[in-house]
């Protein structure tokens, strides 16, 4: 069935693609407590230089937050990005309970400390199993 079928008379493309929780206001105070997942994405510029993108996804509404892009993810930069994320979540009234991240060495201990101070439990993803 397509969105334009008689069974979906009031469905437009945006409503069809968006989850129910993402249709409301930007504040997530009235939504279930979200869990977050963060990771570094590596991309390459036109000149061939690698760049690292720190991204976080809110699982409750599938919102992706780009915390920053850098060529060298130093400890101070990653820690500041974590502080900025906590402030952004507080500004919109969102309180996350869990942060899932991988065991990448780019995440310093201070990253977990900032999360813990904000009341966000940090969980490292399981290491890859051998086949």
């Amino acid at each position: 069935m397509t969105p334009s079928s008689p069974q979906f008379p009031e469905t437009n493309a945006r409503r069809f693609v968006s989850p129910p929780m993402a249709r409301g206001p930007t504040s997530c105070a009235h939504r279930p407590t979200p869990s977050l997942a963060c990771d570094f994405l590596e991309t390459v510029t036109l000149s061939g230089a690698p760049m690292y993108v720190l991204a976080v996804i809110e699982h409750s509404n599938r919102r992706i937050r780009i915390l920053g892009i850098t060529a060298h993810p130093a400890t101070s930069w990653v820690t500041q990005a974590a502080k900025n994320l906590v402030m952004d979540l507080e500004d919109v009234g969102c309180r996350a309970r869990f942060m899932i991240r991988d065991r990448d060495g780019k995440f310093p201990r201070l990253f977990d400390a900032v999360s813990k101070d904000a009341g966000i439990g940090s969980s490292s993803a399981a290491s890859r199993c051998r086949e």
Side-chain angles (χ1 to χ4, degrees), residues 3-15:
S4 60
S5 69
Q7 287 86 3
F8 302 106
E10 298 178 20
T11 304
N12 60 26
R14 183 179 186 146
R15 184 178 171 115

Side-chain angles (χ1 to χ4, degrees), residues 54 67-68 76-86 88 111 114:
L54 181 56
L67 302 183
S76 59
W77 184 86
V78 177
T79 303
Q80 186 61 49
K83 291 177 183 178
N84 293 346
L85 171 66
V86 168
D88 288 346
F111 187 88
V114 169

